[in-house]
Amino acid sequence: MRYSRYNYLRNSEKYGALLFNTRTKFFISLSSELFSKITELSILKDFEVDTLDLSPEILVQLINGKVFVGQNEDDDYYELKKFLRYKQAFAQNHLGIVLVPTFSCNFRCPYCYEDNLPKTTITEEVLDAVYSFIKKKGQNCIDLCWHGGEPLIAFDKIASFLNRIHNDKSLSLRSHSMVTNAFLLDEYKCKFLNDCNLQKIQITVDGNKEYHNKSRIHKSGKPTYDTIMQNIENVFQYMPNCQVILRVNLHSQNKDTFPALYKELKERWGNKNYSINVAFVNDVNNSCKVACLADKGKISFARSLYETYGIKDIDISTQPQIGGCTASCTNSYVIGPSGEIYKCWVDVGKKERIVSNVFDGKLSNYILPSYTVGADMFSDAKCKDCVFMPICDGGCIVRRYNQKHYNVPYDPCPINEDDFLSLMEINYMKEKVTK
Ligand code: SF4
Ligand code: SF4
């Protein structure tokens, strides 16, 4: 057997030796004696378990937790993850459509990457072509997400398209979601979207009311926070089955406002159907509106929230995952208002990133294959041996592509080793550890 490369073994100043296996989530607190023995074993290429000076109970735990593995087991696991990722990437049994009905927006957020886009809105003719494109694909199971610009500006087009889908009994929406600033989300729209079974709605706030009103600015200059909060309450009232994902954009200037916002939301909404998704915006991920990326600073921030304010529910997942996003799935398309097709929301509006169109469906360049198999973690040798490989999605595909093709600096690793110890310590505090 050998010591798995997916073991994370560290001596915490506060809690002593901790061992976590990222493949199995096996997590154990070790005596200093056991820590020394395992550290010695970790540098051996091969050992016989029968000869180890360990108690049978500990040995069983370490083998079941995949701390000790067969010679090829880690490589096999890597191949399995790669296989599952590519199986998902090439799956044709469902169709992912992100539909951008308009580039227009009623906000003027200073950081918005879509600010310079033409104010194009989809026409009925393009909607016809989108509908035909979907029909030609032949899948009746669709994941549909509305995106913008601000999609609700084109609510009439959304309604027209959804009526069409609804009336076609050969099509069904497996999932139905929307990314919106919620400023126009009134009772009428909520009721309509509820009838269309909208399941998830992602709405962004930029910190507490005071900060948000300076940051997410309506184009008329008026404040937006109160209207957004009121409209979220419309969702709770008129869309009882729809989950609100409240994305909170944080950065160094507003992160201290988060505890007050969190407290306000908890007091205001209690156990209503919403979750908070903290996103750390920086020069790497501020344009990924869907918070695909965990950020390095998130773990230490979550820890300080936990220690200082007792806030426990900031999601910092250590779940093994296959990863992948719209950019890496060949049957997922981001469709712009002129019927042009992209592979990622951050590419929207960039002519050079258009991969096809809904009218003829022909590929216009090599971006699709490059995103799918050329800019992922399996095309990066360092990921194979990385301790975080099982729980990491490999970072952003578009940014990996930009780095490879245009030398744009990008560090794809969403986790670093020291931060991970912090995460282990949080989990220890939450008593998710075998002692
Ligand atoms: S490629 Fe990057 S920005 Fe685009 S959806 Fe994937 S993680 Fe998000
Ligand atoms: S992206 Fe970084 S953290 Fe993730 S598996 Fe690759 S090397 Fe490890």
Side-chain angles (χ1 to χ4, degrees):
M1 297 203 97
R2 64 188 306 164
Y3 179 82
S4 169
R5 63 176 176 254
Y6 302 131
N7 294 324
Y8 181 88
L9 177 64
R10 287 291 183 286
N11 219 338
S12 152
E13 272 180 28
K14 258 187 162 171
Y15 303 112
L18 300 173
L19 171 63
F20 181 77
N21 183 281
T22 56
R23 173 184 165 192
T24 59
K25 291 173 52 190
F26 173 72
F27 186 26
I28 189 168
S29 148
L30 305 171
S31 66
S32 51
E33 187 194 355
L34 194 51
F35 176 72
S36 305
K37 282 183 188 167
I38 293 181
T39 306
E40 278 168 28
L41 289 171
S42 70
I43 51 175
L44 299 181
K45 289 215 165 4
D46 192 10
F47 50 76
E48 296 291 332
V49 280
D50 308 346
T51 62
L52 299 180
D53 177 23
L54 296 173
S55 75
E57 296 79 31
I58 286 287
L59 199 53
V60 167
Q61 284 189 47
L62 296 177
I63 291 172
N64 288 345
K66 301 293 181 194
V67 174
F68 299 152
V69 289
Q71 279 302 323
N72 298 316
E73 212 175 320
D74 283 345
D75 286 345
D76 289 346
Y77 180 77
Y78 174 82
E79 302 296 353
L80 173 69
K81 177 163 173 170
K82 184 174 176 179
F83 170 78
L84 292 173
R85 169 76 165 255
Y86 287 157
K87 185 170 170 233
Q88 173 188 273
F90 292 104
Q92 300 294 312
N93 55 350
H94 70 272
L95 180 63
I97 298 288
V98 177
L99 198 44
V100 178
T102 181
F103 284 153
S104 289
C105 187
N106 44 356
F107 283 14
R108 286 288 169 271
C109 308
Y111 52 78
C112 182
Y113 68 101
E114 289 177 356
D115 200 31
N116 298 322
L117 298 182
K119 306 302 170 214
T120 320
T121 292
I122 206 161
T123 61
E124 287 296 331
E125 186 199 358
V126 174
L127 283 177
D128 285 348
V130 174
Y131 178 75
S132 303
F133 177 80
I134 290 173
K135 292 291 279 182
K136 260 189 241 150
K137 287 282 164 192
Q139 289 89 5
N140 54 12
C141 182
I142 304 163
D143 296 318
L144 176 64
C145 175
W146 297 98
H147 210 277
E150 168 45 42
L152 291 176
I153 287 180
F155 183 72
D156 57 331
K157 298 294 188 285
I158 292 175
S160 157
F161 191 73
L162 287 176
N163 282 331
R164 209 158 178 172
I165 297 276
H166 185 70
N167 291 331
D168 186 335
K169 297 300 170 217
S170 70
L171 296 176
S172 69
L173 298 182
R174 181 175 77 163
S175 69
H176 188 195
S177 57
M178 180 180 283
V179 178
T180 169
N181 62 33
F183 196 80
L184 298 172
L185 199 52
D186 56 22
E187 177 183 336
Y188 173 77
K189 294 187 188 75
C190 282
K191 286 180 172 169
F192 180 87
L193 293 169
N194 186 56
D195 290 344
C196 298
N197 197 22
L198 192 80
Q199 298 152 340
K200 279 191 184 163
I201 194 155
Q202 183 185 295
I203 297 165
T204 299
V205 291
D206 279 1
N208 66 355
K209 178 174 173 175
E210 189 190 352
Y211 194 92
H212 173 98
N213 280 337
K214 282 189 227 143
S215 179
R216 283 182 78 74
I217 308 158
H218 192 271
K219 66 181 179 189
S220 68
K222 63 185 167 194
T224 60
Y225 184 87
D226 287 338
T227 305
I228 291 171
M229 291 295 147
Q230 179 53 50
N231 288 349
I232 290 174
E233 285 172 13
N234 284 338
V235 177
F236 294 146
Q237 186 170 355
Y238 303 114
M239 304 175 71
N241 298 320
C242 181
Q243 188 198 10
V244 174
I245 299 164
L246 200 68
R247 169 165 163 154
V248 184
N249 282 337
L250 294 179
H251 44 75
S252 55
Q253 283 138 39
N254 72 345
K255 73 181 171 52
D256 294 338
T257 70
F258 181 76
L261 173 69
Y262 181 90
K263 186 164 175 278
E264 180 198 327
L265 298 178
K266 287 284 161 185
E267 284 170 4
R268 188 166 178 162
W269 293 336
N271 295 325
K272 292 243 162 57
N273 193 6
Y274 79 103
S275 61
I276 298 175
N277 185 341
V278 171
F280 275 76
V281 295
N282 53 34
D283 58 347
V284 173
N285 73 349
N286 61 358
S287 53
C288 187
K289 281 190 177 179
V290 285
C292 315
L293 308 169
D295 183 79
K296 284 184 172 140
K298 194 166 172 179
I299 292 175
S300 48
F301 182 66
R303 180 180 178 144
S304 73
L305 289 178
Y306 182 71
E307 287 177 337
T308 314
Y309 301 98
I311 296 174
K312 296 179 185 175
D313 50 353
I314 302 303
D315 180 33
I316 334 169
S317 176
T318 50
Q319 295 293 340
Q321 59 168 307
I322 298 173
C325 59
T326 321
S328 64
C329 292
T330 53
N331 218 22
S332 292
Y333 306 91
V334 180
I335 301 175
S338 301
E340 75 280 22
I341 296 177
Y342 311 88
K343 285 302 296 169
C344 170
W345 359 59
V346 301
D347 285 347
V348 167
K350 295 176 185 152
K351 284 199 171 63
E352 69 283 7
R353 294 294 167 104
I354 294 172
V355 299
S356 184
N357 66 77
V358 292
F359 302 100
D360 65 22
K362 288 185 186 150
L363 283 186
S364 39
N365 49 43
Y366 298 123
I367 287 175
L368 176 65
S370 291
Y371 279 8
T372 309
V373 295
D376 62 342
M377 67 190 307
F378 301 104
S379 56
D380 184 343
K382 85 172 185 295
C383 293
K384 183 174 182 185
D385 293 328
C386 173
V387 61
F388 301 123
M389 191 282 291
I391 56 172
C392 181
D393 67 358
C396 171
I397 284 172
V398 168
R399 284 173 174 78
R400 276 184 178 274
Y401 176 91
N402 291 345
Q403 182 186 43
K404 191 169 165 184
H405 287 75
Y406 305 107
N407 291 322
V408 180
Y410 174 53
D411 171 5
C413 305
I415 317 165
N416 68 33
E417 301 233 346
D418 293 340
D419 258 2
F420 201 74
L421 177 59
S422 241
L423 184 55
M424 292 301 90
E425 290 174 340
I426 298 174
N427 284 339
Y428 186 92
M429 287 187 271
K430 291 181 182 172
E431 298 194 24
K432 291 183 181 170
V433 60
T434 308
K435 292 183 185 169

